[in-house]
Amino acid sequence: MSHKESSPRAQSERLLIKGGCVINDDQSFFADIYVEDGVIKQLGENVTVSGDVRVIEAEGRLVMPGGIDVNTCLQKPYLGTMPADDFYEGSRAALAGGTTMIIDHVCAQRGESLLQAFEKWQDTADKKSCCDFSLHVDVPDWNDTIREELHTLVQEKGVNSFQVFMAYKDVCQLFDAQLYEVMECLRDLGAVVLVHAENGDLIAQEQNKILSLGITGPEGHVLSRPEELESEAVYRAVTLGNSTNCPVYITKVMSKGAADIVAAARKRGSVVFGEPITASIASNGTHYWSKNWAKAAAFVTSPPLSPDTTTPDHLTSMLACGELQVLGSAHCVYSISQKAIGKDDFTLIPEGTNGIEERMSFIWDKGVAAGKMDENRFVAVTSTNAAKLFNLYPRKGRVAVGSDADLVIWDSDMIQTITAKSQHSLGEYNIFEGQEVRGGPQVVLSQGRVVFDNGTLNVQPGSGRFIPRKAFPDYAYQRIRMRNKVSSLNPVSRGVYDGPVCDVPPTPKYLTPAPSAKTSPAKNQPAPVRNLHLSNFSLSGPEYPQASQADENGPRRACHRIVAPPGGRSSITSLG
């Protein structure tokens, strides 16, 4: 993966790609492709164009839509520091790997305006990104101000996806009731809810326990986040989505249990989508126990990589059969010195791994070259499904007349060895170091310009465009709209109940049980309060002296046996 870089082209070219095999998610066919003004103008056999045109001979290689990476964090701050790869470096690496569009996360802090954070992200990306981009917006809190900002972002700023967090307690974690309200709000706006699914409350407890045992290294990260905490949160997120009739997209599916829950929910008809990442299909969590602290820390991300070495193959198989839908990268690279912020406390290690450049080659190697998926499915999980989910299709994610000329000529025979020295990322360490992969891009077009050609990058900062996205993508909302029509809740029509009603003293709606010495070892425990309205009899006698005393000192209630109300038994009160 050696590379060099030349001066950028200022304008898009007139291009004719001849002799390629076009691969879309639903069909493959041999055709020539004519590109002008950044758009595919002609598609068919033996296309001829007059005038000055650059001809690229594909020689039977695969020509497919450029990849879309829907999970990047190229400007995510951590304790005042920024990732090593910003929008320029990250988008360069993306193009070198065949990805021609990214969707980055706007990471607003609690108390910060989502609109202001969005505008800051967009302004930075406008100046630096070498490829087209769009933006998710993370929701770190919930209040009326944020609700209003969500309306503005969807209706005026071209945002149709927002991420919520079930983890990171006291930082950005939302409670279930808040998640419910966010989902209802975003469903009405026609947006897709991205969910970071981990049980934040239990993670906080586990972190304290692991640290108390003297475990401070990167292995503590995975020990404090067992896989069941991811699985439980995924199940809860699906349940919330079902309850609110809102489409749910699970980001960073890292374990077999979490993936299986997504698949099972889809079989039951839930509108839920799952996204593993480059790291989860190409590596595993055994590296957290490396003797090399810097190496172990490089793998720290959340949810953590699974120590189960069979997980990558399992997730790849689920992508191949359609039970998981999109492959992201979650690319967020910090330097070794930044990772070392947590050298004495694993909870302070900034989270993030590389994967934006390696994403497409790894799924080709482990999916197509391994015989698990065909070329069409490869296009689906790397580009088309993302385009459909986030309302970019068919402008993106398809080779068709009128689509953007974001194209990749793919060399299925290419063999690459992943190394930190040859990567385009500025990261000092590559978590896939030394792995050999089959398949990679030979030529990459972005907006009709050749930006990568046989190892040579030809990019310009700021050439990427912000791509706004409309609400209510059909891929996510067709079933939602139908369910709104058929699943409306209506009361049962019945007569008025005119039978007896038991008299009870006024009591609080919820009664807190008395604390037990076994479960709540408090020093000053209040005396237990007997809830008299729960029973019409008393346990008195020598065996129950406390109950007998309570009966003697407390108020007595008469017990009446009602045979039938005045006027006889009505049909409404009959249980027969």
mmCIF file of all heavy atoms in Angstrom, residues 154-155 159-161 184-192 245 247 388-391 469-478 480-481 484:
data_model
loop_
_atom_site.group_PDB
_atom_site.id
_atom_site.type_symbol
_atom_site.label_atom_id
_atom_site.label_comp_id
_atom_site.label_asym_id
_atom_site.label_seq_id
_atom_site.Cartn_x
_atom_site.Cartn_y
_atom_site.Cartn_z
ATOM 1 N N VAL A 154 -33.442 19.033 11.121
ATOM 2 C CA VAL A 154 -34.090 18.190 10.124
ATOM 3 C C VAL A 154 -34.703 19.030 9.003
ATOM 4 O O VAL A 154 -34.510 18.751 7.810
ATOM 5 C CB VAL A 154 -35.168 17.302 10.778
ATOM 6 C CG1 VAL A 154 -35.983 16.558 9.714
ATOM 7 C CG2 VAL A 154 -34.534 16.303 11.739
ATOM 8 N N GLN A 155 -35.424 20.067 9.372
ATOM 9 C CA GLN A 155 -36.209 20.809 8.397
ATOM 10 C C GLN A 155 -35.419 21.850 7.620
ATOM 11 O O GLN A 155 -35.796 22.218 6.504
ATOM 12 C CB GLN A 155 -37.389 21.465 9.111
ATOM 13 C CG GLN A 155 -38.364 20.453 9.704
ATOM 14 C CD GLN A 155 -39.368 21.059 10.687
ATOM 15 O OE1 GLN A 155 -39.323 22.267 10.940
ATOM 16 N NE2 GLN A 155 -40.244 20.242 11.231
ATOM 17 N N VAL A 159 -30.270 17.321 7.960
ATOM 18 C CA VAL A 159 -29.839 16.216 8.828
ATOM 19 C C VAL A 159 -31.020 15.273 9.036
ATOM 20 O O VAL A 159 -32.104 15.722 9.404
ATOM 21 C CB VAL A 159 -29.342 16.734 10.195
ATOM 22 C CG1 VAL A 159 -28.924 15.579 11.089
ATOM 23 C CG2 VAL A 159 -28.182 17.708 10.004
ATOM 24 N N ASN A 160 -30.826 13.978 8.812
ATOM 25 C CA ASN A 160 -31.924 13.031 9.045
ATOM 26 C C ASN A 160 -31.500 11.852 9.921
ATOM 27 O O ASN A 160 -32.154 10.808 9.918
ATOM 28 C CB ASN A 160 -32.506 12.528 7.719
ATOM 29 C CG ASN A 160 -31.582 11.578 6.970
ATOM 30 O OD1 ASN A 160 -30.480 11.271 7.433
ATOM 31 N ND2 ASN A 160 -32.017 11.121 5.807
ATOM 32 N N SER A 161 -30.418 12.030 10.695
ATOM 33 C CA SER A 161 -29.972 10.950 11.579
ATOM 34 C C SER A 161 -29.320 11.547 12.822
ATOM 35 O O SER A 161 -28.535 12.500 12.732
ATOM 36 C CB SER A 161 -28.982 10.038 10.844
ATOM 37 O OG SER A 161 -27.964 10.795 10.220
ATOM 38 N N GLU A 184 -39.763 9.264 19.920
ATOM 39 C CA GLU A 184 -41.056 9.775 19.452
ATOM 40 C C GLU A 184 -40.884 11.057 18.650
ATOM 41 O O GLU A 184 -41.502 11.243 17.592
ATOM 42 C CB GLU A 184 -41.980 10.020 20.647
ATOM 43 C CG GLU A 184 -42.599 8.765 21.232
ATOM 44 C CD GLU A 184 -43.771 9.075 22.143
ATOM 45 O OE1 GLU A 184 -43.663 10.052 22.926
ATOM 46 O OE2 GLU A 184 -44.783 8.363 22.076
ATOM 47 N N CYS A 185 -40.039 11.933 19.150
ATOM 48 C CA CYS A 185 -39.795 13.204 18.468
ATOM 49 C C CYS A 185 -39.184 12.975 17.086
ATOM 50 O O CYS A 185 -39.656 13.540 16.087
ATOM 51 C CB CYS A 185 -38.883 14.077 19.323
ATOM 52 S SG CYS A 185 -38.348 15.613 18.531
ATOM 53 N N LEU A 186 -38.139 12.134 17.010
ATOM 54 C CA LEU A 186 -37.451 11.914 15.746
ATOM 55 C C LEU A 186 -38.291 11.105 14.773
ATOM 56 O O LEU A 186 -38.177 11.274 13.555
ATOM 57 C CB LEU A 186 -36.105 11.243 16.005
ATOM 58 C CG LEU A 186 -35.087 12.120 16.742
ATOM 59 C CD1 LEU A 186 -33.816 11.350 17.030
ATOM 60 C CD2 LEU A 186 -34.770 13.376 15.937
ATOM 61 N N ARG A 187 -39.124 10.226 15.298
ATOM 62 C CA ARG A 187 -40.056 9.507 14.409
ATOM 63 C C ARG A 187 -40.979 10.491 13.713
ATOM 64 O O ARG A 187 -41.206 10.405 12.498
ATOM 65 C CB ARG A 187 -40.878 8.511 15.222
ATOM 66 C CG ARG A 187 -41.968 7.789 14.428
ATOM 67 C CD ARG A 187 -43.073 7.334 15.359
ATOM 68 N NE ARG A 187 -43.726 8.461 16.006
ATOM 69 C CZ ARG A 187 -44.345 8.400 17.197
ATOM 70 N NH1 ARG A 187 -44.370 7.264 17.872
ATOM 71 N NH2 ARG A 187 -44.921 9.473 17.701
ATOM 72 N N ASP A 188 -41.520 11.442 14.449
ATOM 73 C CA ASP A 188 -42.419 12.428 13.851
ATOM 74 C C ASP A 188 -41.695 13.310 12.840
ATOM 75 O O ASP A 188 -42.301 13.803 11.888
ATOM 76 C CB ASP A 188 -43.055 13.289 14.937
ATOM 77 C CG ASP A 188 -43.997 12.493 15.840
ATOM 78 O OD1 ASP A 188 -44.434 11.402 15.431
ATOM 79 O OD2 ASP A 188 -44.270 12.962 16.969
ATOM 80 N N LEU A 189 -40.380 13.505 13.047
ATOM 81 C CA LEU A 189 -39.592 14.317 12.122
ATOM 82 C C LEU A 189 -39.096 13.525 10.916
ATOM 83 O O LEU A 189 -38.578 14.102 9.959
ATOM 84 C CB LEU A 189 -38.390 14.928 12.856
ATOM 85 C CG LEU A 189 -38.708 15.998 13.903
ATOM 86 C CD1 LEU A 189 -37.442 16.359 14.679
ATOM 87 C CD2 LEU A 189 -39.295 17.242 13.241
ATOM 88 N N GLY A 190 -39.220 12.188 10.981
ATOM 89 C CA GLY A 190 -38.773 11.358 9.871
ATOM 90 C C GLY A 190 -37.283 11.094 9.866
ATOM 91 O O GLY A 190 -36.684 10.892 8.807
ATOM 92 N N ALA A 191 -36.666 11.055 11.039
ATOM 93 C CA ALA A 191 -35.225 10.807 11.140
ATOM 94 C C ALA A 191 -34.958 9.382 11.610
ATOM 95 O O ALA A 191 -35.840 8.699 12.139
ATOM 96 C CB ALA A 191 -34.587 11.803 12.103
ATOM 97 N N VAL A 192 -33.724 8.939 11.403
ATOM 98 C CA VAL A 192 -33.282 7.625 11.863
ATOM 99 C C VAL A 192 -32.523 7.813 13.179
ATOM 100 O O VAL A 192 -31.666 8.697 13.293
ATOM 101 C CB VAL A 192 -32.366 6.950 10.819
ATOM 102 C CG1 VAL A 192 -31.845 5.612 11.337
ATOM 103 C CG2 VAL A 192 -33.110 6.767 9.500
ATOM 104 N N ASN A 245 -42.531 2.947 17.663
ATOM 105 C CA ASN A 245 -42.658 2.775 16.206
ATOM 106 C C ASN A 245 -41.661 3.673 15.481
ATOM 107 O O ASN A 245 -41.997 4.405 14.550
ATOM 108 C CB ASN A 245 -44.079 3.071 15.741
ATOM 109 C CG ASN A 245 -44.357 2.504 14.343
ATOM 110 O OD1 ASN A 245 -43.742 1.517 13.934
ATOM 111 N ND2 ASN A 245 -45.256 3.130 13.611
ATOM 112 N N PRO A 247 -37.694 3.774 13.654
ATOM 113 C CA PRO A 247 -36.584 2.959 13.141
ATOM 114 C C PRO A 247 -35.328 3.155 13.976
ATOM 115 O O PRO A 247 -34.976 4.283 14.335
ATOM 116 C CB PRO A 247 -36.397 3.467 11.709
ATOM 117 C CG PRO A 247 -36.974 4.842 11.700
ATOM 118 C CD PRO A 247 -38.087 4.840 12.704
ATOM 119 N N LYS A 388 -29.440 4.075 0.908
ATOM 120 C CA LYS A 388 -30.891 3.956 1.049
ATOM 121 C C LYS A 388 -31.346 4.356 2.451
ATOM 122 O O LYS A 388 -32.352 5.053 2.615
ATOM 123 C CB LYS A 388 -31.327 2.521 0.742
ATOM 124 C CG LYS A 388 -31.176 2.119 -0.722
ATOM 125 C CD LYS A 388 -31.588 0.674 -0.948
ATOM 126 C CE LYS A 388 -31.499 0.280 -2.419
ATOM 127 N NZ LYS A 388 -31.856 -1.145 -2.640
ATOM 128 N N LEU A 389 -30.606 3.920 3.460
ATOM 129 C CA LEU A 389 -30.999 4.190 4.840
ATOM 130 C C LEU A 389 -30.998 5.678 5.153
ATOM 131 O O LEU A 389 -31.853 6.172 5.895
ATOM 132 C CB LEU A 389 -30.048 3.473 5.793
ATOM 133 C CG LEU A 389 -30.542 2.211 6.475
ATOM 134 C CD1 LEU A 389 -29.402 1.510 7.193
ATOM 135 C CD2 LEU A 389 -31.655 2.521 7.442
ATOM 136 N N PHE A 390 -30.039 6.403 4.589
ATOM 137 C CA PHE A 390 -29.880 7.808 4.947
ATOM 138 C C PHE A 390 -30.279 8.744 3.804
ATOM 139 O O PHE A 390 -29.854 9.894 3.743
ATOM 140 C CB PHE A 390 -28.453 8.066 5.420
ATOM 141 C CG PHE A 390 -28.102 7.278 6.655
ATOM 142 C CD1 PHE A 390 -27.258 6.176 6.593
ATOM 143 C CD2 PHE A 390 -28.656 7.605 7.883
ATOM 144 C CE1 PHE A 390 -26.954 5.436 7.728
ATOM 145 C CE2 PHE A 390 -28.364 6.877 9.026
ATOM 146 C CZ PHE A 390 -27.514 5.794 8.949
ATOM 147 N N ASN A 391 -31.112 8.234 2.896
ATOM 148 C CA ASN A 391 -31.753 9.027 1.839
ATOM 149 C C ASN A 391 -30.753 9.703 0.903
ATOM 150 O O ASN A 391 -30.920 10.865 0.528
ATOM 151 C CB ASN A 391 -32.702 10.071 2.441
ATOM 152 C CG ASN A 391 -34.118 9.915 1.892
ATOM 153 O OD1 ASN A 391 -34.373 9.082 1.016
ATOM 154 N ND2 ASN A 391 -35.041 10.713 2.381
ATOM 155 N N ARG A 469 -29.562 15.713 3.450
ATOM 156 C CA ARG A 469 -30.391 14.505 3.331
ATOM 157 C C ARG A 469 -31.815 14.815 3.786
ATOM 158 O O ARG A 469 -32.020 15.403 4.842
ATOM 159 C CB ARG A 469 -29.785 13.379 4.175
ATOM 160 C CG ARG A 469 -28.425 12.922 3.682
ATOM 161 C CD ARG A 469 -27.735 11.993 4.655
ATOM 162 N NE ARG A 469 -27.299 12.689 5.864
ATOM 163 C CZ ARG A 469 -27.507 12.238 7.091
ATOM 164 N NH1 ARG A 469 -28.165 11.114 7.302
ATOM 165 N NH2 ARG A 469 -27.072 12.924 8.137
ATOM 166 N N LYS A 470 -32.772 14.407 2.986
ATOM 167 C CA LYS A 470 -34.170 14.642 3.311
ATOM 168 C C LYS A 470 -34.666 13.632 4.342
ATOM 169 O O LYS A 470 -34.134 12.536 4.467
ATOM 170 C CB LYS A 470 -35.033 14.570 2.047
ATOM 171 C CG LYS A 470 -34.741 15.676 1.042
ATOM 172 C CD LYS A 470 -35.665 15.565 -0.167
ATOM 173 C CE LYS A 470 -35.391 16.689 -1.158
ATOM 174 N NZ LYS A 470 -36.267 16.590 -2.357
ATOM 175 N N ALA A 471 -35.720 14.029 5.043
ATOM 176 C CA ALA A 471 -36.308 13.161 6.070
ATOM 177 C C ALA A 471 -37.131 12.052 5.429
ATOM 178 O O ALA A 471 -37.374 12.039 4.223
ATOM 179 C CB ALA A 471 -37.175 13.995 7.009
ATOM 180 N N PHE A 472 -37.547 11.105 6.257
ATOM 181 C CA PHE A 472 -38.412 9.985 5.886
ATOM 182 C C PHE A 472 -37.838 9.129 4.756
ATOM 183 O O PHE A 472 -38.478 8.943 3.708
ATOM 184 C CB PHE A 472 -39.812 10.480 5.510
ATOM 185 C CG PHE A 472 -40.568 11.105 6.635
ATOM 186 C CD1 PHE A 472 -40.695 12.486 6.724
ATOM 187 C CD2 PHE A 472 -41.138 10.322 7.640
ATOM 188 C CE1 PHE A 472 -41.389 13.076 7.777
ATOM 189 C CE2 PHE A 472 -41.834 10.887 8.695
ATOM 190 C CZ PHE A 472 -41.956 12.282 8.760
ATOM 191 N N PRO A 473 -36.633 8.583 4.931
ATOM 192 C CA PRO A 473 -36.125 7.650 3.918
ATOM 193 C C PRO A 473 -37.025 6.423 3.824
ATOM 194 O O PRO A 473 -37.377 5.815 4.846
ATOM 195 C CB PRO A 473 -34.733 7.283 4.451
ATOM 196 C CG PRO A 473 -34.794 7.587 5.920
ATOM 197 C CD PRO A 473 -35.714 8.755 6.064
ATOM 198 N N ASP A 474 -37.406 6.053 2.607
ATOM 199 C CA ASP A 474 -38.327 4.933 2.420
ATOM 200 C C ASP A 474 -37.770 3.633 2.991
ATOM 201 O O ASP A 474 -38.527 2.799 3.517
ATOM 202 C CB ASP A 474 -38.631 4.739 0.933
ATOM 203 C CG ASP A 474 -39.621 5.764 0.410
ATOM 204 O OD1 ASP A 474 -40.308 6.395 1.238
ATOM 205 O OD2 ASP A 474 -39.705 5.947 -0.819
ATOM 206 N N TYR A 475 -36.471 3.437 2.871
ATOM 207 C CA TYR A 475 -35.862 2.190 3.327
ATOM 208 C C TYR A 475 -36.136 1.952 4.811
ATOM 209 O O TYR A 475 -36.232 0.810 5.261
ATOM 210 C CB TYR A 475 -34.355 2.253 3.084
ATOM 211 C CG TYR A 475 -33.633 0.931 3.148
ATOM 212 C CD1 TYR A 475 -33.828 -0.043 2.176
ATOM 213 C CD2 TYR A 475 -32.736 0.651 4.177
ATOM 214 C CE1 TYR A 475 -33.147 -1.249 2.228
ATOM 215 C CE2 TYR A 475 -32.048 -0.545 4.236
ATOM 216 C CZ TYR A 475 -32.258 -1.495 3.259
ATOM 217 O OH TYR A 475 -31.584 -2.693 3.316
ATOM 218 N N ALA A 476 -36.290 3.022 5.570
ATOM 219 C CA ALA A 476 -36.560 2.899 7.001
ATOM 220 C C ALA A 476 -38.013 3.166 7.351
ATOM 221 O O ALA A 476 -38.528 2.630 8.340
ATOM 222 C CB ALA A 476 -35.668 3.858 7.792
ATOM 223 N N TYR A 477 -38.709 3.984 6.545
ATOM 224 C CA TYR A 477 -40.015 4.475 6.969
ATOM 225 C C TYR A 477 -41.218 3.887 6.229
ATOM 226 O O TYR A 477 -42.350 4.169 6.617
ATOM 227 C CB TYR A 477 -40.064 6.007 6.873
ATOM 228 C CG TYR A 477 -39.617 6.661 8.158
ATOM 229 C CD1 TYR A 477 -38.283 6.986 8.367
ATOM 230 C CD2 TYR A 477 -40.519 6.913 9.190
ATOM 231 C CE1 TYR A 477 -37.866 7.565 9.550
ATOM 232 C CE2 TYR A 477 -40.112 7.491 10.374
ATOM 233 C CZ TYR A 477 -38.788 7.813 10.554
ATOM 234 O OH TYR A 477 -38.373 8.372 11.734
ATOM 235 N N GLN A 478 -41.013 3.073 5.208
ATOM 236 C CA GLN A 478 -42.171 2.484 4.539
ATOM 237 C C GLN A 478 -43.007 1.649 5.503
ATOM 238 O O GLN A 478 -44.225 1.767 5.558
ATOM 239 C CB GLN A 478 -41.723 1.628 3.346
ATOM 240 C CG GLN A 478 -41.489 2.423 2.073
ATOM 241 C CD GLN A 478 -41.175 1.535 0.890
ATOM 242 O OE1 GLN A 478 -40.599 0.459 1.040
ATOM 243 N NE2 GLN A 478 -41.550 1.965 -0.294
ATOM 244 N N ILE A 480 -42.847 1.815 8.782
ATOM 245 C CA ILE A 480 -43.298 2.662 9.884
ATOM 246 C C ILE A 480 -44.631 3.316 9.530
ATOM 247 O O ILE A 480 -45.573 3.340 10.338
ATOM 248 C CB ILE A 480 -42.241 3.734 10.205
ATOM 249 C CG1 ILE A 480 -40.937 3.085 10.694
ATOM 250 C CG2 ILE A 480 -42.780 4.732 11.229
ATOM 251 C CD1 ILE A 480 -41.043 2.352 12.001
ATOM 252 N N ARG A 481 -44.715 3.856 8.319
ATOM 253 C CA ARG A 481 -45.956 4.518 7.898
ATOM 254 C C ARG A 481 -47.126 3.535 7.868
ATOM 255 O O ARG A 481 -48.234 3.857 8.304
ATOM 256 C CB ARG A 481 -45.760 5.155 6.524
ATOM 257 C CG ARG A 481 -44.961 6.448 6.546
ATOM 258 C CD ARG A 481 -45.026 7.163 5.213
ATOM 259 N NE ARG A 481 -44.242 6.472 4.201
ATOM 260 C CZ ARG A 481 -43.000 6.816 3.846
ATOM 261 N NH1 ARG A 481 -42.418 7.844 4.430
ATOM 262 N NH2 ARG A 481 -42.356 6.156 2.920
ATOM 263 N N ASN A 484 -48.324 2.725 11.370
ATOM 264 C CA ASN A 484 -49.126 3.795 11.956
ATOM 265 C C ASN A 484 -50.590 3.677 11.550
ATOM 266 O O ASN A 484 -51.489 4.051 12.303
ATOM 267 C CB ASN A 484 -48.580 5.159 11.518
ATOM 268 C CG ASN A 484 -47.324 5.548 12.278
ATOM 269 O OD1 ASN A 484 -47.113 5.101 13.404
ATOM 270 N ND2 ASN A 484 -46.488 6.361 11.659
#
